[in-house]
Amino acid sequence: MKQLAPPAPSALAERLKVLAQPHRLQIIDLLMQGVQCNCELGEALHMAPNLISHHLGVLLKAGIVDVERDADDARWVYYSINRTALTNLNAAFSAFFNPARIHPRSPSCGPHGAVLPLDTITETAQPQADISLLAPYLSQLIQQTREKSDLSPQ
């Protein structure tokens, strides 16, 4: 399966701004259960109608929610999730947060800049040089272990 290129961080940030509001997430959660009308949303959310309309307007503008008026009585408005937008949103987040994008790397500066993870040392490296740096530490560790267990050399 072909992996999508991750979206630009600025594009993802715009989507996150829309989704970051708790009331809008509640609305999306309700719409994930199926089509909802204004009165159902009002009952479930316990919010003023104008506030619900505001949040629905933001979701509509972002293309996440679809709206449909009743064919017989235009006073009734029904809201649903835009499945295409949901699929695209899911793909964008999956691509951006894909663990396969994480590359092994060590910082090139600071105290950790010269440190290599043990699993990156190969046979072509010179482990003797690295081990020689550990010798004083190992001697101290052996001495402390002997002192704790009273196993001094005889």
Side-chain angles (χ1 to χ4, degrees):
M1 184 173 185
K2 184 181 173 186
Q3 289 187 358
L4 296 175
S10 59
L12 197 58
E14 288 302 316
R15 293 174 179 174
L16 286 169
K17 284 180 193 176
V18 171
L19 298 172
Q21 212 292 332
H23 290 126
R24 290 196 277 269
L25 283 177
Q26 287 178 309
I27 291 170
I28 290 171
D29 188 47
L30 287 169
L31 295 178
M32 293 297 286
Q33 298 170 26
V35 176
Q36 306 274 328
C37 71
N38 280 339
C39 59
E40 292 171 316
L41 290 171
E43 279 180 33
L45 296 170
H46 306 289
M47 292 173 21
N50 63 329
L51 191 55
I52 294 172
S53 292
H54 165 74
H55 291 300
L56 283 167
V58 173
L59 293 168
L60 283 164
K61 185 177 178 184
I64 297 171
V65 170
D66 285 332
V67 62
E68 184 179 336
R69 290 201 176 268
D70 188 280
D72 296 326
D73 187 346
R75 293 177 295 174
W76 291 95
V77 181
Y78 303 100
Y79 297 94
S80 61
I81 291 289
N82 178 331
R83 289 178 183 262
T84 303
L86 181 65
T87 299
N88 293 340
L89 191 63
N90 213 351
F93 282 115
S94 293
F96 190 82
F97 292 107
N98 183 350
R101 290 185 60 213
I102 302 170
H103 299 285
R105 135 171 231 291
S106 293
S108 60
C109 58
H112 295 288
V115 176
L116 290 175
L118 193 56
D119 61 345
T120 63
I121 298 175
T122 64
E123 288 182 27
T124 58
Q126 295 181 356
Q128 309 82 292
D130 294 334
I131 291 173
S132 68
L133 295 174
L134 293 176
Y137 173 74
L138 292 174
S139 296
Q140 183 182 11
L141 187 61
I142 291 168
Q143 181 62 33
Q144 288 173 351
T145 305
R146 285 180 180 157
E147 288 172 2
K148 287 182 182 177
S149 61
D150 288 323
L151 294 176
S152 53
Q154 299 180 7

